[in-house]
Amino acid sequence: MIYNDFGKTGIKMSALGFGAMRLQMRGEGDKKEIDDDLAIPMMHRAFELGVNYIDTAPYYNDNLSEGAVGRAIKSWGAKGGGKIYVSTKNPIENDSPDDWMGRLEKSLKNLDTNCIDFYHFWGIGLKGFKHWQTLENGPLQAAERAKSQGLIKHLSFSYHDAAENLPEIIDSGLFESMLVQYNLLDRSLEDHLARAKERGLGVVVMGPVGGGKLGAPSELIQGLLKNKPESTAEMAMRFVLANPNVDIALSGMSHMSHVDENAKIAANDANLSDAELDKIKKIMAENKKFAELYCTSCDYCKPCPVEINIPHLFGIMNTHRVYGLTDHAIGEYNSTIRGKNWHKSASPASCTKCGVCEQKCPQKLPIIKQLEETHSTLYRA
């Protein structure tokens, strides 16, 4: 396992982090629970292979992930295992410092610990952050008190806001690490990773395989290198880990094979060369421009009268058409139109061909025709 200096914390952190958001479950309804017989050995296997950073959150796995991580850490310690750094999050549902503290105390109880190593302001944006800065006694002050009381060691944040809003949060000096998305398909925060590194923040990347997209086979992506990687996921992980401003690539793992494969990649110190990285970035940039010929996701076509999420469905189509991630695209498309994803959409089969979307599209795309093509290509009965 490769280890990196984690910002100014003084900690050497494994290049691979364990994301505990996809632990295997068993049972149904009120009896649903983490399958400890599968989940805990999987976490222990990651620790044995050198992973020393694990990330969870209150709502993962039907609110059960933190408890499973706590049990895995406790049993690992009982076996004489080394230090594992635990990260979890506070969703900051209101401005109340007492409620913020109550959520922290619940996580401490779930994890069965007196102190959380890295505690995140979960999914913050610049608007909310600036609002909290105006409060005399709000979440930020509660966090500082919790840190002074030894309930948390390091204050962190995770981020899903617009790229241009990130620097102000980085520069605030309030945080010691950040968790952001970065992968072959989404490099919008690439310059800001360097900024965070310069400011002394530890940098953790979520979605290194694009939320599962880059786990599917793709001849295009695997062919980016002369010595073809064994899988698209390997290509994606190697790309993220080759960035010197990334300390940890956080991977959500649900099978022992995921642990073994990712740990093998993270232990490979044969970094991609500058020439290889330049080639990869150039090809992916060209493909992104190609994708935008179909849709730039500007959302001007919304709302659709029959609630077809046109930009999202076209984005799925591009994972097939542009990047060759066909298996993923088929699964994602059918889950979306059947209401099984958090992105919702009616089926293009319900399109009335009213033409409102085409009137509003700044690119004047033949949306109705492209929706028909998307449905005929990806729909599975």
Side-chain angles (χ1 to χ4, degrees), residues 302 304 306-314 316 332-351 371 374-375:
K302 297 170 73 173
C304 167
V306 294
E307 300 185 348
I308 299 172
N309 190 339
I310 297 165
H312 183 66
L313 296 186
F314 283 175
I316 295 173
E332 185 77 3
Y333 179 81
N334 287 277
S335 294
T336 299
I337 65 172
R338 290 181 170 95
K340 295 181 180 179
N341 283 349
W342 70 276
H343 278 295
K344 306 297 183 187
S345 177
S347 169
S350 64
C351 176
L371 280 173
T374 296
H375 191 66

Side-chain angles (χ1 to χ4, degrees), residues 51-193:
V51 171
N52 66 352
Y53 183 94
I54 188 166
D55 177 86
T56 181
Y59 302 146
Y60 291 171
N61 283 100
D62 294 342
N63 304 304
L64 298 172
S65 174
E66 285 185 327
V69 169
R71 293 190 296 277
I73 297 293
K74 190 169 186 178
S75 54
W76 176 250
K79 292 168 63 174
K83 169 67 178 174
I84 305 298
Y85 296 92
V86 178
S87 154
T88 192
K89 309 175 185 78
N90 193 314
I92 327 172
E93 294 162 352
N94 53 39
D95 292 341
S96 167
D98 293 335
D99 289 353
W100 189 95
M101 186 62 73
R103 291 188 290 272
L104 169 59
E105 290 171 349
K106 187 173 181 180
S107 287
L108 287 165
K109 182 178 179 181
N110 288 341
L111 289 162
D112 193 16
T113 185
N114 296 319
C115 178
I116 293 167
D117 297 301
F118 292 89
Y119 198 54
H120 288 72
F121 273 56
W122 192 0
I124 66 174
L126 182 59
K127 182 178 179 180
F129 176 69
K130 292 178 80 168
H131 168 66
W132 299 323
Q133 287 181 306
T134 69
L135 301 176
E136 291 185 7
N137 187 21
L140 288 172
Q141 289 77 19
E144 291 298 333
R145 285 194 294 273
K147 189 175 178 182
S148 68
Q149 293 167 10
L151 299 177
I152 59 178
K153 289 183 181 177
H154 306 280
L155 193 57
S156 310
F157 72 94
S158 65
Y159 187 81
H160 295 283
D161 198 4
E164 62 267 22
N165 292 337
L166 182 55
E168 190 168 340
I169 300 176
I170 290 173
D171 293 346
S172 69
L174 294 171
F175 301 103
E176 294 175 83
S177 73
M178 71 177 191
L179 172 61
V180 297
Q181 178 158 300
Y182 174 69
N183 55 60
L184 270 171
L185 300 178
D186 183 0
R187 294 170 44 223
S188 60
L189 300 180
E190 192 166 70
D191 291 342
H192 302 323
L193 303 181

Side-chain angles (χ1 to χ4, degrees), residues 183-249:
N183 55 60
L184 270 171
L185 300 178
D186 183 0
R187 294 170 44 223
S188 60
L189 300 180
E190 192 166 70
D191 291 342
H192 302 323
L193 303 181
R195 188 187 193 100
K197 193 76 168 178
E198 290 170 1
R199 300 295 190 276
L201 275 70
V203 177
V204 186
V205 163
M206 59 179 143
V209 292
K213 290 188 185 74
L214 293 164
S218 168
E219 285 294 319
L220 183 151
I221 291 173
Q222 286 172 252
L224 290 172
L225 293 180
K226 186 175 181 180
N227 295 321
K228 200 177 196 181
E230 293 181 10
S231 66
T232 308
E234 179 186 346
M235 178 72 250
M237 286 289 288
R238 286 184 66 191
F239 174 79
V240 170
L241 291 170
N243 189 317
N245 300 310
V246 173
D247 298 317
I248 301 172

Side-chain angles (χ1 to χ4, degrees), residues 2-4 15 225 227 234-235 237-246 264-278 280:
I2 294 170
Y3 294 88
N4 298 312
L225 293 180
N227 295 321
E234 179 186 346
M235 178 72 250
M237 286 289 288
R238 286 184 66 191
F239 174 79
V240 170
L241 291 170
N243 189 317
N245 300 310
V246 173
K264 180 181 177 182
I265 296 166
N268 182 1
D269 60 2
N271 279 341
L272 300 177
S273 68
D274 290 342
E276 287 175 323
L277 284 171
D278 287 343
I280 290 167

